[in-house]
Amino acid sequence: MADFQYLDERFADLQMLRYQLKAFERLSLQQKTLVYYLSKAALFGRDITFDQYGRYNLRIRKSLEAVYTDLCIDHDTDDFKALEVYLKRLWFSNGIYHHYGSEKFSPGFSEAYFRQVMHHVDARRLPLGDGQTVDELCNELCPVIFDPTVLPKRVNKAAGDDLLLTSACNFYDGVTQTEAETYYAAQKDVNDENPPSYGLNTTLVKCGGQIVEEVWSTKGRYGNALRHIVYWLHKAAGVAENDMQREVIGKLIDFYETGNLRLFDDYCILWLKCLEGKVDFINGFIEVYGDPLGLKGSWEGLVEYIDEETTHRTQTVARNAQWFEDHSPIDPRFRKSVVKGVSANVICAAMLGGEEYPATAIGINLPNAEWIRARYGSKSITISNITDAYNKAASGNGFKEEFVIDGNTLDMINKYGDTCDNLHTDLHECVGHGSGQMLPGVSTDALKAYGNTIEEARADLFGLYYIADSKMVELGLLPDKEAYKAQYYSYMMNGLMTQLIRITPGNKIEEAHMRNRALIAHWCLDNSTAVALIRRDDKTYLQINDYSALRQLFAQLLAEIQRIKSEGDYEAARQLVERYAVEVDADLHAEVLKRYQRLNLAPYKGFINPQMLPVLDAEGQIADIQLNYSESYAHQMLRYSTEYATLI
């Protein structure tokens, strides 16, 4: 499709992109149908993610959608246009909190206007509770929308706060941080060699003075959404590519129907072993970044198929996983003597859902359970059509020219940057997350609120250390021994400076991946003269004085962070994160924002999914799956809110 357009609508600090399903037409009819059924299952979890991100999100979304689509309301006023932007941001973030910074959005329209238009809308289109009036609904929602002191952050990680009582995420109800930590500590059996991910699929609730778990299953909380997901998983199982793929889907259905975490572990093991077939998927309660305690899994969905043209790169990394482990610059006590079951593919995303939509990862490594990784391995993916869309959108936008120190460095990044970015993602996901081992008896959640940042830093450092190794050239993964410098410069510039474009002035760094990058970059800056921030023409630039010395810094920090994780050293993790990963230099921040603003770019990108349309034959059977890339952002979101509404 020569006229395919990657760039789409822009609003607030967001730019919508499209991603193309490369070589989709080469899939067999069975594979296309499997992708279609799995895509339906991926989209039916949408309301779960909204609800997990805040208990009022679904009712606010439905109220605003009713206003937005009411043709009798004047759409040409400043208040309506501000409401439209607010609604589009809400769709993007699966709720009223920024998808990255987690702070609550400030509406550009007034409470009086909101109340006025709510009364204008047909009340039957509003999410009224039993016997509730429109005024009562407004009284319930207005403080959440308009009062900045009411539920101000989705995830709060500020040291010293009760992280549950100060976070608006909807995983806990009336439970303090101490009560939750005590509850889950009591569940653990130190003699259990296969511990489940305690709390992964439950809401922890205090009821009548007792703390209980509400299980997420087809018969429990989120039951209607999960029953729809299960329906489409059954359809997918009927067109699976092989028996093992069918068994994987069946085991996931068993988990959804029971909520039994032991079955989820069984599913994870089967899933990572299932390597035959071209189509794969992620569907479930997976990542725990949305929980300040790092226990509860946010729902996400992803449907994918192998990108055969480029997957050789990740497979080369996977085949050499034992070499990477054996040569890692960490204490030998923390190395795995035998690396098992590492697999990796470059894939094309076919559908994004839940926490992976509209903003998505570019690489994924699963499962997360440490004992499964150690015993059975892991499966990694790098998403080629998503990175391709990002690269196309960034081409020629002036960002690198503004922040890179000189022409030679800029030429180096333009020459090697995309290749190095992809390889670093491969190393991070495929061998970084899967590397190392914890000492016997160390709990997987020993680092508590700092665990996510430490783990992401560990994987990033693994990739940074190895991307400069001559082995990369020997394996044909990089063209020459100088290419790695493009990644070193870009990474350090981002960690020290340019990621600050995503921070609101006066705020600290909260998101785990941003903390990870800040930790690495500031630790290196503080512990060596290999890197420096210099002033030139009244602007701040990163200067790398010694690339080889920087690699040794990465090795040194990797060794310490692996020790912290392997030993469960909470205090060392806390000190490292709080010292290097949280605070923001206000003057530098102001400068970076000013320089970035001149470029007129959006700091965040997200994606509009392709629309899949089944073509039926005379007997009503699927004869093909057509792709439509023309759907607008608002139309897609409103369609999803109608077709995939399951919880309100």
Side-chain angles (χ1 to χ4, degrees), residues 378-396:
S378 62
K379 186 188 289 186
S380 299
I381 58 171
T382 302
I383 311 178
S384 63
N385 56 341
I386 295 297
T387 56
D388 186 52
Y390 278 130
N391 292 339
K392 293 289 196 306
S395 178

Side-chain angles (χ1 to χ4, degrees), residues 13-14 49-58 60 86 88-106 141 143-156 166-170:
D13 57 355
L14 304 166
T49 308
F50 267 90
D51 189 72
Q52 289 179 322
Y53 281 11
R55 69 183 60 193
Y56 297 97
N57 283 336
L58 286 171
I60 293 173
Y86 184 88
K88 288 180 176 180
R89 297 185 75 184
L90 179 152
W91 286 331
F92 189 96
S93 295
N94 293 296
I96 63 171
Y97 300 91
H98 197 282
H99 75 289
Y100 224 77
S102 158
E103 66 272 9
K104 188 165 69 173
F105 299 136
S106 176
L141 299 184
V144 183
I145 298 172
F146 296 99
D147 188 339
T149 67
V150 174
L151 302 174
K153 296 201 72 172
R154 178 168 65 90
V155 182
N156 178 37
T166 57
S167 294
C169 55
N170 195 21

Side-chain angles (χ1 to χ4, degrees), residues 348-404:
C348 285
M351 191 62 65
L352 309 173
E355 191 169 57
E356 291 295 331
Y357 169 81
T360 185
I362 58 173
I364 297 172
N365 175 269
L366 291 171
N368 288 326
E370 291 290 342
W371 69 268
I372 296 179
R373 288 176 182 273
R375 196 173 308 165
Y376 298 99
S378 62
K379 186 188 289 186
S380 299
I381 58 171
T382 302
I383 311 178
S384 63
N385 56 341
I386 295 297
T387 56
D388 186 52
Y390 278 130
N391 292 339
K392 293 289 196 306
S395 178
N397 66 11
F399 177 81
K400 289 180 287 190
E401 287 79 2
E402 173 60 37
F403 288 100
V404 173

Side-chain angles (χ1 to χ4, degrees), residues 98-279:
H98 197 282
H99 75 289
Y100 224 77
S102 158
E103 66 272 9
K104 188 165 69 173
F105 299 136
S106 176
F109 55 96
S110 69
E111 179 176 340
Y113 175 77
F114 176 73
R115 288 178 178 272
Q116 173 193 334
V117 292
M118 286 284 281
H119 278 282
H120 189 93
V121 172
D122 185 342
R124 291 172 296 182
R125 300 180 62 214
L126 296 175
L128 298 173
D130 291 340
Q132 190 177 39
T133 67
V134 175
D135 275 331
E136 288 170 341
L137 176 61
C138 289
N139 291 340
E140 182 181 6
L141 299 184
C142 281
V144 183
I145 298 172
F146 296 99
D147 188 339
T149 67
V150 174
L151 302 174
K153 296 201 72 172
R154 178 168 65 90
V155 182
N156 178 37
K157 294 186 178 181
D161 289 351
D162 184 308
L163 301 185
L164 300 192
L165 297 183
T166 57
S167 294
C169 55
N170 195 21
F171 297 121
Y172 305 89
D173 188 356
V175 181
T176 68
Q177 179 178 349
T178 299
E179 288 172 332
E181 290 174 344
T182 301
Y183 179 88
Y184 286 114
Q187 289 192 1
K188 293 174 184 174
D189 180 356
V190 295
N191 297 315
D192 189 349
E193 296 182 352
N194 308 328
S197 301
Y198 294 105
L200 182 71
N201 66 328
T202 63
T203 304
L204 198 62
V205 177
K206 184 180 285 187
C207 182
Q210 298 295 314
I211 296 178
V212 297
E213 287 187 297
E214 296 181 353
V215 178
W216 309 335
S217 72
T218 58
K219 303 177 185 67
R221 189 162 179 146
Y222 302 136
N224 192 39
L226 292 171
R227 286 190 293 272
H228 280 82
I229 292 170
V230 164
Y231 171 84
W232 288 102
L233 289 176
H234 275 297
K235 299 276 283 185
V239 293
E241 296 176 271
N242 52 65
D243 288 340
M244 189 169 189
Q245 195 178 67
R246 188 173 297 109
E247 186 180 1
V248 169
I249 296 171
K251 190 63 68 174
L252 179 59
I253 291 171
D254 291 343
F255 165 65
Y256 278 146
E257 291 181 336
T258 64
N260 185 332
L261 284 171
R262 302 283 182 181
L263 290 177
F264 179 70
D265 289 340
D266 292 342
Y267 155 73
C268 289
I269 294 167
L270 283 173
W271 175 81
L272 70 89
K273 289 182 176 180
C274 185
L275 303 176
E276 299 299 322
K278 190 168 184 177
V279 178

Side-chain angles (χ1 to χ4, degrees), residues 509-525:
I509 302 174
E510 296 277 356
E511 200 274 334
H513 296 80
M514 291 183 72
R515 282 188 165 189
N516 140 47
R517 292 187 288 266
L519 188 161
I520 293 171
H522 284 96
W523 185 91
C524 291
L525 181 67

Side-chain angles (χ1 to χ4, degrees), residues 306-482:
I306 292 176
D307 182 345
E308 293 180 339
E309 294 182 6
T310 53
T311 202
H312 63 87
R313 186 187 71 234
T314 56
Q315 291 177 351
T316 298
V317 172
R319 283 195 301 270
N320 287 274
Q322 189 66 61
W323 182 90
F324 289 111
E325 187 76 4
D326 292 345
H327 293 82
S328 178
I330 64 175
D331 189 315
R333 294 182 300 146
F334 309 140
R335 294 182 191 146
K336 291 176 179 173
S337 57
V338 178
V339 177
K340 300 179 181 178
V342 174
S343 65
N345 285 309
V346 176
I347 61 97
C348 285
M351 191 62 65
L352 309 173
E355 191 169 57
E356 291 295 331
Y357 169 81
T360 185
I362 58 173
I364 297 172
N365 175 269
L366 291 171
N368 288 326
E370 291 290 342
W371 69 268
I372 296 179
R373 288 176 182 273
R375 196 173 308 165
Y376 298 99
S378 62
K379 186 188 289 186
S380 299
I381 58 171
T382 302
I383 311 178
S384 63
N385 56 341
I386 295 297
T387 56
D388 186 52
Y390 278 130
N391 292 339
K392 293 289 196 306
S395 178
N397 66 11
F399 177 81
K400 289 180 287 190
E401 287 79 2
E402 173 60 37
F403 288 100
V404 173
I405 190 169
D406 55 41
N408 290 336
T409 306
L410 180 62
D411 289 344
M412 175 182 68
I413 293 172
N414 285 333
K415 183 177 181 180
Y416 299 120
D418 289 351
T419 299
C420 286
D421 278 345
N422 289 333
L423 180 55
H424 184 255
T425 299
D426 295 341
L427 293 167
H428 173 112
E429 300 293 351
C430 180
V431 285
H433 279 308
S435 67
Q437 64 181 356
M438 300 174 71
L439 295 183
V442 176
S443 173
T444 56
D445 62 350
L447 304 182
K448 300 181 181 179
Y450 300 104
N452 289 333
T453 298
I454 291 297
E455 175 57 22
E456 292 302 328
R458 193 178 71 87
D460 259 3
L461 285 163
F462 197 94
L464 289 167
Y465 175 74
Y466 276 114
I467 201 170
D469 199 285
S470 59
K471 188 77 170 180
M472 299 301 99
V473 180
E474 176 188 328
L475 294 174
L477 297 172
L478 286 182
D480 60 59
K481 63 181 181 180
E482 298 296 308

